[in-house]
Amino acid sequence: MIAAELLTLATCDLGAIVRGRSIVSSELGEHLLSGVGWVPANLALTPLGELAEPNPFGSTGDLRLLPDPATHMRVGAEEQGSALELVLCDIVELDGRPWQCCPRNFLRGALAAFAEETGATVSASFEHEFQLLGDERVAPAFSLEAQRRAEPFPSMLMAALVEAGAEPERIFPEFASLQFEVPVAPASGLQAADRAVVLREVVREIARRCARRATFAPLSDVKEAGNGVHIHLSLHDERGRPLLYDERGPAGLSGLGTRFAAGVLAHARALSAICAPSPVSGERLRPHHWSAGAACLAAGNREALLRIPGIVSVGDASPAEQMRLEYRGADAAANPHLALGAIVHAGLQGIREQLPAPPLLERDPAELDAQEAERFGVGALPASLQEALDALAQDRVAASWFPALLLEAFVSLKRSELAGCAELSLEESCRRYGEIY
C-alpha cells in the first residue's frame, strides 16, 4: 500500500510546542478558506503534557486553524520515509475574526502599532542554539572536528532549511558540548517569527533522519552554557532605508535606536517572563554563561542583554545596513511570535516616552563595583520563572500589551509548569525540559 503524504496545519502554542491537525497534502486547497477545527483549551496544554489548572477556557468553545499559504513549507522525503510538510495557521473564530489569544495575531498587532506610531517597519532574525545528542564523544568547541563528527547532519540540515525557505546563513559548532548554532537571514517581523518555528521543526526532523535527537532546551547541563535564541532587530522607513545607524550616536546607534533600546531595558524583567519562560531558563541568564549577565546595552559585549554587533569594514556592506540590536535573553521555550511582539511593544514604549540613551557596558560585569553593577543591571534579570512572572504582574505597562484572556492563559500555564517541577531538583528539571524541547 502506498502511504498518503500528510500536511500539518500547525500553530505554535504558548509553551512553544507546535501542535495542529494533519490532512492529506493534496487536499490543502480545500482547507485554505475554512481551515480545520480547533479548541480553545488546546492553548492551555503545558509543555509537560497536562492542562493548566485553572485555565480560562474550560471545555467550551470552538475555533478554526486558518492556514496562511505564505508559510507553506516542505522538506522532501528520503527513501522509504515521509516528507515534512506544514502550513502555519492563524487561530480564528468560527466567522473568521482573529481570536484574541492567537500568538501570530499578537505579533501582527504589535508590528501594526509600531508602524502606525513611528512610520517604521521591523525586520528580525532568530539565531538558534541547540544540542545534537546521540554521540558520547565531545570534540573541541567551535572545531571542524565537531562539525565533521556530526555529519551527515550539518549538510543535510542546511539543504533542508534551504528547501524549507528558511534562508540559513551558516552552521557551526558552539561552546557547549555537542552544541550547534544556525543563524538565518533577516526577514519582516511576522515572517521572521514564522521562520523560527519552521527552523526548530526542520532541525528536529533532520536529527531524527540521522538517528539522533536535537534539543533546544534552555539548559541541559547545569555545569555548561545553555541554548539561547538571539533575536536580531533592525528598523526601516517606508522606503526601506535603515533607521538604526547614526555615526554620531553611541556606538553608531541612532536616537530612534537608543530610545527603542531604552524601552526594552525598562521592561527587561517583565520581558523575561515571555522570552525566557521555562522553570530552567533563569539559570542560564547569569554572568559568564554566554547569555545575558547584565540588563544593559553594550557594543560588542556578549554579557549584555542588548548588544550592538560590531560594524564590519571589510566588504561592501554599509554601516547603516549592518546596524542592528541583538536581544540575548530569549530561549526556545518562548513562542517566537509572543517574544518578538513583546520586544517590539517594549521598544515602542521607549520611543513614546522619549527615554534617554542607556549607558554602554564596556567591561566584564564581574569587574564592576556595587554601584556600577546596579547601574548596568548586573543580576537584575529574574533568576527564576516565578520571579519573572511576578515582574510581569508588577509591570502594568507590559501587562497592558496583551489581551486580558491571553495574559491570563499564559500566566496560568506557566504557574502550572512551576507546580509540575516543584518537587524536582534543577538537574531533574533540566533533563525533563531537555526531552521536551
Side-chain angles (χ1 to χ4, degrees), residues 55 78 114 134 147 210 272 279 286 333 347 352 398 405 426 430 432:
N55 73 74
E78 292 189 297
F114 194 88
Q147 179 173 319
C210 292
S272 279
R286 293 183 289 147
R352 283 180 184 140
L405 188 65
L426 176 59
C430 286
R432 191 165 187 184

Side-chain angles (χ1 to χ4, degrees), residues 309-366:
I311 299 297
V312 178
S313 57
V314 295
D316 57 3
S318 71
E321 292 172 336
Q322 296 181 56
M323 178 59 73
R324 63 193 186 279
L325 288 168
E326 178 188 8
Y327 179 89
R328 296 178 57 81
D331 61 50
N335 177 293
H337 300 93
L338 294 185
L340 182 55
I343 292 169
V344 169
H345 273 298
L348 178 58
Q349 196 67 33
I351 294 169
R352 283 180 184 140
E353 298 178 13
Q354 298 287 295
L355 296 182
L360 289 175
L361 176 68
E362 297 177 342
R363 288 187 287 157
D364 185 335

Side-chain angles (χ1 to χ4, degrees), residues 12-14 16 102-104 106-108 110-111 122 124-126 128 189 192-193 196-197 200 229-233 260 264 267 270-277 327 329-347 401-402 406 410:
C12 185
D13 71 8
L14 301 184
C102 174
R104 291 186 88 231
F106 172 75
L107 174 55
R108 194 179 283 113
L111 296 170
V122 178
S125 173
F126 288 69
H128 284 80
V197 176
R200 298 174 193 181
V229 176
H230 307 149
I231 304 176
H232 294 254
L233 302 109
F260 187 102
V264 172
H267 299 283
L271 284 174
S272 279
I274 308 300
C275 297
Y327 179 89
D331 61 50
N335 177 293
H337 300 93
L338 294 185
L340 182 55
I343 292 169
V344 169
H345 273 298
W401 302 333
F402 300 87
L406 173 57
F410 180 84

Side-chain angles (χ1 to χ4, degrees), residues 143-155 173 180:
S143 69
L144 178 60
E145 171 67 13
Q147 179 173 319
R148 294 301 299 169
R149 187 175 287 174
E151 285 291 353
F153 172 80
S155 299
F180 287 84

Side-chain angles (χ1 to χ4, degrees), residues 32 66-72 87-90 104 108 190 194:
L32 288 179
L66 191 64
D68 179 350
T71 69
H72 186 189
V87 178
L88 295 179
C89 299
D90 292 319
R104 291 186 88 231
R108 194 179 283 113
L190 184 63
D194 290 342

